[in-house]
Amino acid sequence: MRASLTSFVAAALTSSMVASAAPVPQKIGEAMGVANNNLIQIEFNPATVDWNQVNWSSVFAAEEQKQQQQKQQQQQQQQQRQTVAVQTSSTPVAAASPSPEAPAQIQEEAPAPQPAVTIQAATTSAPEAAPSSEPAPATSAAPESTPEQNTGSNGNSGSSGNGQLWGLNYSPYNTDGSCPDVNTVAGQLAKVASVTKNIRLYSTDCSQFENALQAITSNNLGLSIHAGIWISDGQTRMQSDLDQFVSAAKKFGTGLIKGVSVGNEDISKGMSESTLIDYINQVRSRLQAEGLGNIPVYTTEQDAHFTSGMAAVSDLVQINVYSIFDSSYSNIDSSVQSVIQRANNIKNNVAGGKQVRFGETGWSSSGNTGPSPLTLANEIAYAQKIKCAAASAGFDYFYFEAKNANWKQGAVASEQNFGIFDAGFTPKFDFNLLNVC
């Protein structure tokens, strides 16, 4: 009685209340670009009626009359239902056929998430610049630039295994940029080994090359290492990395070492081709002098900057190729085919018959690099489709990357969120979703 009377009085007095709530997105985070988008905003317009002028007796009388009418209507409806029940009690009822269900819609670039998946909404902020290579102090931050590549077989096998990626780029640095101990590396690589059999490193700093060799050997993880020598910081840093590489290779043997990349995207950073070639020749000469000449030596560069001269001094051609920076976007399939076409261009026009491998390719789950939607759903879709497309085209690849690069403090969101694991090494999605081809 009180509730219905209150509502009636409210209607009679023309009070108004307007509440509006924006739909809650699937995940609220920095990638949405809105700090308080989970708050319900309520606007209240107070009544303007003078309460002293209200004729309360007429209000209550009207309410009582309304309730009496409703009671009479209910009695009439009850009598009608009883009459219908008597009339139909002897009438056979036909079995109802189920109504057809509407077909489920399949979103090509946004597969339904498993319990571990949280879909992130695409950002609408201004595009971020393409990731730039970051020089890493030899004692802390990682020498990663934008995603990198790995090396392995002498031919383009394109094999990936059941539900596995051919390779993963791995940077072991802690979130604060410090160096992890060997036990931390072992724990992370045990998880990596469930997804791939090949890892690519960028440097030997933080003892990462030696720690990886020890972790894999001691725990029988079944991983192969494609190592890296960091040259972006000059001769002294290059020499330090090379010394550590030789020392670890002699200590553990070369069985797990499938190659070493001299530099990563250094032409893109402004290094001359002649300087890069000199570094490659220095590393090869040192390895030969140390009895390690069986290890393939090469460089890694963006496909647009890889030259036939660089290919000539490399044992294989390793290219970093991304489509998330393209000026247009239609769907994930087109983005994957664009990457494959660019690799085929290098194979046909630059490589000179040598193996071509993706050193880096991937899709960030957050941020903004232009029209390509950077969401977790699209990261999953890209990983699925590049795996199948690379295998079909005969290319090995290193997917960028193992874990989110939160250690790149101050970097844009897109640069930090390429990982298939988060920064704490928890899977960002169900890896069974990769078992598609």
Side-chain angles (χ1 to χ4, degrees), residues 143 148-152 168-170 198-205 208-210 212-213 224-230 241-242 244-246 248-249 256-264 283 287 295-300 318 357 398:
E148 284 188 76
Q149 297 180 342
N150 235 321
T151 67
L168 271 177
N169 293 279
Y170 172 66
N198 297 280
I199 61 170
R200 180 193 173 196
L201 306 178
Y202 292 86
S203 176
T204 63
D205 73 330
Q208 61 177 285
F209 180 54
E210 180 174 354
L213 285 169
S224 295
I225 298 178
H226 305 258
I229 302 293
W230 192 250
D241 269 31
L242 182 54
Q244 293 181 62
F245 177 87
V246 170
L256 301 178
I257 307 170
K258 303 305 178 183
V260 58
S261 176
V262 182
N264 182 68
V283 171
L287 296 186
I295 299 174
V297 178
Y298 47 90
T299 191
T300 305
Q318 186 155 282
R357 181 172 64 207
F398 289 95

Side-chain angles (χ1 to χ4, degrees), residues 5-279:
L5 177 59
T6 301
S7 61
F8 179 81
V9 172
L13 297 179
T14 67
S15 298
S16 64
M17 176 179 294
V18 179
S20 63
V24 178
Q26 291 175 289
K27 179 173 180 181
I28 299 172
E30 295 180 358
M32 301 285 302
V34 180
N36 294 311
N37 59 356
N38 62 336
L39 299 180
I40 295 178
Q41 300 178 357
I42 297 177
E43 176 184 354
F44 176 68
N45 296 322
T48 57
V49 176
D50 185 354
W51 295 90
N52 294 321
Q53 301 300 319
V54 176
N55 186 349
W56 293 102
S57 61
S58 62
V59 169
F60 287 112
E63 175 63 14
E64 291 176 358
Q65 181 180 2
K66 177 180 177 181
Q67 290 182 359
Q68 184 64 29
Q69 291 174 349
Q70 290 177 345
K71 184 176 181 180
Q72 292 175 355
Q73 290 175 355
Q74 291 174 354
Q75 291 175 347
Q76 292 173 357
Q77 290 173 355
Q78 179 66 21
Q79 292 174 355
Q80 291 174 355
R81 285 196 294 268
Q82 291 174 351
T83 301
V84 171
V86 172
Q87 292 174 348
T88 61
S89 60
S90 60
T91 304
V93 180
S97 59
S99 59
E101 298 181 356
Q105 295 184 354
I106 299 176
Q107 297 182 359
E108 180 179 73
E109 289 117 27
Q114 298 297 317
V117 179
T118 302
I119 304 301
Q120 295 178 340
T123 178
T124 57
S125 58
E128 300 165 352
S132 59
S133 222
E134 301 175 5
T139 57
S140 58
E144 271 188 356
S145 61
T146 54
E148 284 188 76
Q149 297 180 342
N150 235 321
T151 67
S153 60
N154 292 325
N156 290 343
S157 67
S159 61
S160 55
N162 292 331
Q164 291 190 332
L165 300 171
W166 190 89
L168 271 177
N169 293 279
Y170 172 66
S171 295
Y173 311 98
N174 295 323
T175 301
D176 61 2
S178 61
C179 302
D181 59 27
V182 65
N183 291 328
T184 299
V185 172
Q188 293 179 353
L189 290 183
K191 294 181 179 181
V192 167
S194 69
V195 189
T196 188
K197 297 302 178 187
N198 297 280
I199 61 170
R200 180 193 173 196
L201 306 178
Y202 292 86
S203 176
T204 63
D205 73 330
C206 285
S207 301
Q208 61 177 285
F209 180 54
E210 180 174 354
N211 285 346
L213 285 169
Q214 181 176 333
I216 294 168
T217 301
S218 300
N219 297 282
N220 194 26
L221 297 180
L223 290 169
S224 295
I225 298 178
H226 305 258
I229 302 293
W230 192 250
I231 63 174
S232 298
D233 297 329
Q235 180 71 32
T236 300
R237 173 63 187 273
M238 186 278 290
Q239 193 62 53
S240 173
D241 269 31
L242 182 54
D243 289 343
Q244 293 181 62
F245 177 87
V246 170
S247 175
K250 287 187 172 183
K251 178 178 180 180
F252 290 94
T254 61
L256 301 178
I257 307 170
K258 303 305 178 183
V260 58
S261 176
V262 182
N264 182 68
E265 297 186 352
D266 286 286
I267 298 297
S268 301
K269 301 171 197 172
M271 183 178 290
S272 68
E273 181 175 320
S274 60
T275 300
L276 173 60
I277 290 175
D278 181 59
Y279 280 131

Side-chain angles (χ1 to χ4, degrees), residues 274-355:
S274 60
T275 300
L276 173 60
I277 290 175
D278 181 59
Y279 280 131
I280 296 171
N281 289 334
Q282 286 186 55
V283 171
R284 178 177 287 109
S285 296
R286 173 72 181 277
L287 296 186
Q288 290 174 345
E290 299 284 354
L292 304 172
N294 61 313
I295 299 174
V297 178
Y298 47 90
T299 191
T300 305
E301 184 53 75
Q302 295 177 15
D303 62 305
H305 295 123
F306 213 108
T307 68
S308 56
M310 294 158 59
V313 297
S314 296
D315 292 325
L316 61 90
V317 174
Q318 186 155 282
I319 52 175
N320 293 346
V321 188
Y322 293 90
S323 56
I324 64 171
F325 305 106
D326 291 352
S327 59
S328 62
Y329 171 84
S330 56
N331 53 55
I332 292 293
D333 282 311
S334 297
S335 296
V336 168
Q337 288 306 311
S338 171
V339 167
I340 297 297
Q341 289 172 5
R342 287 160 63 181
N344 277 325
N345 178 61
I346 295 295
K347 177 181 177 181
N348 296 331
N349 300 302
V350 177
K354 294 182 179 179
Q355 177 196 0

